[in-house]
Amino acid sequence: MTAAYLGIEGVSMEFGKGRAAFMALKDVSLRIAKGEFVSIIGHSGCGKSTVLNIVAGLLKSTRGGVVLEGREVDEPGPDRAVVFQNHSLLPWLSVYDNVRLAVDKVSGAKRSRAERHDWVMHNLRLVHMEQAARKLPDEISGGMKQRVGIARALAMEPKVLLMDEPFGALDALTRAHLQDSLMEIHSALGNTVIMITHDVDEAVLLSDRIVMMTNGPAATIGEVLEVPLARPRDRLALASDPDYARCRGEVIRFLYERHQRPAA
Amino acid sequence: MSAITETRILAGDSAAGRLLRRAGGRLLDALRGVLPPLAALVLVLGAWQILCSQPGAALPSPAKVVADTWGLIADPFFDNGGTDKGLFWHLSASLKRVATGFSLAAAAGILLGVLIGQSRLAFKGLDPLFQVLRTVPPLAWLPISLAAFRNADPSAIFVIFITAIWPIILNTAVGIRQIPEDYRNVARVIRLSPLEYFFRIMLPATVPYMFTGLRIGIGLSWLAIVAAEMLIGGVGIGFFIWDAWNSSLMSEIVLALVYVGIVGFVLDRLIAGVGRLVSGRRVARN
């Protein structure tokens, strides 16, 4: 394995104390290389969002830790920007100001006013939202809000981009559009990405590796699947690709045969 | 040549026509808005007039009210010294007390609301106290405040303060507690300082709730001041009503009630308007 850029080292997570303690994660270890796109997939309630929140520093693990570029991180910070599941745009700020707030805060010292403005617009352009810069979040669609959420995260120039089921709340067509945009951005910028998802096709289409998690309590990594598909990927061509079908099959087998969801 | 003039005339004609139609449409819309409340008002006044024009009616009819109080309606600004002043002076004295008491309540209420909204400990400690105190009727505070301040005016202001503060505290606290966890997380990821968090996230997220509290507070203040002034005397609309009752001037009481209602309505709309301005469309319209 190449030198790990981001290391999740023996992370366990326990909620509560004493008798009421609930072991959510047990001994999760994962190493991610620079520029890699990793998806974490599992049934709901398996603790995949907990893993992401620990990497983000929003939750503190009970045991183990997260190492980024050789340094332990246990506080939230813009080097691990998060795209939240429900976009989390501030509704009283315009699209532009939502991104601007992050840019002012994160790169206020190293960029001039004009440069910060240009950087905001650059990132909005990246997600095709420069036209809506002056709109309020309530005035744009769910897919557009998530685009802005991605622009805000990208504008922080994170070392790792963390995405928590970013397209979970969107309809299938919008989701496909955003996946394509994300692939475009990933190939242009070479970001390191961890994405939580419960959509098998999304995981296979976007990822270099798919991390499959067992069910909780004491959830952990069950299996890691390499996705050997060449980039750039095209969803139409992949539909009849044998490698794609094999990867998809393996994930589905893992989720529905070996780690069937406990009665929901 | 003639063809050109003709088209011009036609074009001008149709443009004027369009303008006329649009103006007509706007007039119709305005009428639709004004007509129903106007009709209701006429109906109520009509019923009142019929009910109270029978001989031996205990209350004056609207026509009699206007006739009796025409002097007060026509000149609200006279000042014959003492408490013999026009209605403008009475209302403005009451409004001054409300403004002072309500401003103090708003400042203290928002601070306390932020405190118990933010700190679990402060909430646990203070909430039971607030829940009990807020049920105390405004006028029940008056004897205590008279004893404490030994002066009518500060006592009335204290009654306003203590009446208005509870909804402001409680709504602000609710507003702060409902700030979505995600907003906090955004703030943590971009590392906002506590002060930046307060101004950039907590305040804007709470403003709609705050203004709900302020609106309830101003309504209660206005209710309380009229009652308090009946007891403390001096210049003020509450005292005016009490004085009129003691002189059996029923028409003056009715006129004062109309003014009290209108001022209360304007105060409510004023706070709602400011709320809408501050929060940029985020306060619901009612």
Side-chain angles (χ1 to χ4, degrees):
Chain A
M1 174 160 258
T2 50
Y5 183 60
L6 176 80
I8 304 172
E9 312 283 355
V11 163
S12 296
M13 186 70 192
E14 219 172 72
F15 291 107
K17 280 193 186 116
R19 280 173 164 234
F22 171 74
M23 175 75 90
L25 294 175
K26 195 177 174 194
D27 224 6
V28 174
S29 288
L30 182 66
R31 298 203 166 150
I32 296 171
K34 191 168 184 173
E36 206 177 0
F37 196 123
V38 173
S39 296
I40 301 179
I41 196 166
H43 291 295
S44 52
C46 75
K48 48 194 195 300
S49 286
T50 310
V51 174
L52 193 88
N53 282 332
I54 289 171
V55 176
L58 295 169
L59 281 177
K60 278 203 174 30
S61 59
T62 323
R63 265 195 305 281
V66 178
V67 178
L68 176 60
E69 274 194 317
R71 236 190 258 153
E72 178 161 15
V73 284
D74 60 352
E75 295 263 297
D79 55 345
R80 283 150 292 132
V82 184
V83 177
F84 296 93
Q85 181 171 10
N86 57 354
H87 65 77
S88 292
L89 300 180
L90 305 174
W92 54 87
L93 294 180
S94 69
V95 161
Y96 174 89
D97 286 329
N98 263 288
V99 181
R100 181 68 188 256
L101 177 65
V103 168
D104 282 351
K105 201 47 208 163
V106 173
S107 57
K110 69 175 192 221
R111 288 195 172 95
S112 71
R113 260 183 103 74
E115 282 169 337
R116 275 177 275 150
H117 168 80
D118 292 343
W119 183 241
V120 171
M121 291 313 290
H122 169 78
N123 281 283
L124 286 176
R125 225 169 285 131
L126 218 51
V127 296
H128 309 295
M129 286 300 294
E130 73 273 22
Q131 300 296 333
R134 291 290 153 203
K135 293 219 160 108
L136 287 171
D138 286 347
E139 298 166 335
I140 59 178
S141 70
M144 290 161 100
K145 283 180 206 166
Q146 203 48 280
R147 283 178 188 274
V148 179
I150 294 171
R152 176 173 64 185
L154 288 173
M156 299 179 210
E157 299 170 274
K159 291 176 180 158
V160 185
L161 184 61
L162 304 174
M163 308 181 89
D164 188 0
E165 293 189 29
F167 312 134
L170 305 176
D171 65 89
L173 280 175
T174 311
R175 189 186 300 185
H177 273 302
L178 263 84
Q179 288 164 350
D180 290 342
S181 288
L182 184 58
M183 281 196 285
E184 220 173 83
I185 290 165
H186 181 240
S187 76
L189 304 180
N191 319 69
T192 310
V193 183
I194 302 179
M195 181 179 75
I196 306 292
T197 182
H198 51 226
D199 180 332
V200 177
D201 287 298
E202 181 170 279
V204 177
L205 178 68
L206 297 175
S207 320
D208 298 314
R209 275 193 297 159
I210 302 175
V211 174
M212 294 173 261
M213 290 192 61
T214 63
N215 287 320
T220 189
I221 295 175
E223 215 171 289
V224 179
L225 177 73
E226 298 270 351
V227 181
L229 301 169
R231 288 180 191 273
R233 296 173 183 170
D234 173 60
R235 66 175 70 243
L236 280 178
L238 286 177
S240 51
D241 186 301
D243 273 337
Y244 181 86
R246 182 182 58 76
C247 290
R248 199 173 174 280
E250 273 187 46
V251 178
I252 289 177
R253 261 194 299 285
F254 178 89
L255 289 177
Y256 299 100
E257 231 173 65
R258 281 182 283 156
H259 293 275
Q260 211 167 17
R261 187 186 188 157
Chain B
M1 175 70 191
S2 77
I4 292 171
T5 344
E6 205 173 71
T7 43
R8 267 205 199 131
I9 289 168
L10 273 174
D13 215 31
S14 73
R18 231 178 297 133
L19 212 67
L20 209 67
R21 241 173 292 133
R22 204 177 303 154
R26 215 171 291 155
L27 199 69
L28 213 66
D29 278 348
L31 270 180
R32 270 195 206 117
V34 171
L35 229 43
L38 208 64
L41 186 67
V42 167
L43 271 175
V44 169
L45 286 177
W48 176 10
Q49 179 74 32
I50 292 166
L51 283 173
C52 293
S53 359
Q54 275 130 7
L59 297 174
S61 67
K64 189 164 174 339
V65 167
V66 173
D68 287 352
T69 61
W70 186 248
L72 286 169
I73 298 173
D75 182 13
F77 299 108
F78 71 85
D79 184 353
N80 298 336
T83 56
D84 186 11
K85 291 180 202 282
L87 275 168
F88 172 82
W89 301 112
H90 285 290
L91 282 168
S92 77
S94 299
L95 280 171
K96 239 180 255 165
R97 293 191 183 107
V98 166
T100 315
F102 180 73
S103 306
L104 292 172
I110 287 172
L111 282 178
L112 280 169
V114 169
L115 179 71
I116 69 167
Q118 269 295 80
S119 147
R120 211 169 260 279
L121 187 70
F123 177 77
K124 272 191 186 152
L126 293 173
D127 189 61
L129 194 65
F130 291 168
Q131 294 296 344
V132 170
L133 288 181
R134 82 188 172 94
T135 63
V136 175
L139 281 191
W141 291 101
L142 192 59
I144 290 188
S145 59
L146 277 171
F149 294 108
R150 296 172 188 287
N151 202 330
D153 229 30
S155 303
I157 288 168
F158 176 78
V159 169
I160 298 304
F161 171 82
I162 206 78
T163 306
I165 197 168
W166 310 117
I168 300 174
I169 294 177
L170 297 175
N171 279 285
T172 304
V174 168
I176 285 190
R177 248 174 288 130
Q178 64 70 45
I179 296 175
E181 191 60 32
D182 280 344
Y183 295 177
R184 286 181 214 271
N185 285 341
V186 169
R188 289 171 70 195
V189 168
I190 63 176
R191 292 198 173 135
L192 290 183
S193 69
L195 210 63
E196 285 169 320
Y197 176 72
F198 180 79
F199 283 109
R200 303 302 306 259
I201 297 197
M202 193 194 282
L203 217 52
T206 316
V207 153
Y209 290 81
M210 240 178 240
F211 271 87
T212 304
L214 290 173
R215 250 179 107 177
I216 299 172
I218 196 92
L220 292 179
S221 307
W222 191 238
L223 293 183
I225 191 64
V226 174
E229 282 172 350
M230 286 186 174
L231 296 177
I232 62 165
V235 179
I237 194 71
F239 171 75
F240 177 87
I241 292 173
W242 193 243
D243 196 39
W245 163 247
N246 283 330
S247 326
S248 298
L249 299 167
M250 294 311 289
S251 295
E252 289 195 1
I253 295 181
V254 172
L255 178 72
L257 290 193
V258 170
Y259 279 150
V260 167
I262 290 171
V263 170
F265 174 79
V266 170
L267 285 177
D268 181 67
R269 285 300 137 119
L270 202 70
I271 299 290
V274 172
R276 216 170 299 144
L277 212 70
V278 170
S279 64
R281 331 171 298 138
R282 290 199 72 232
V283 177
R285 252 164 210 271
N286 259 311

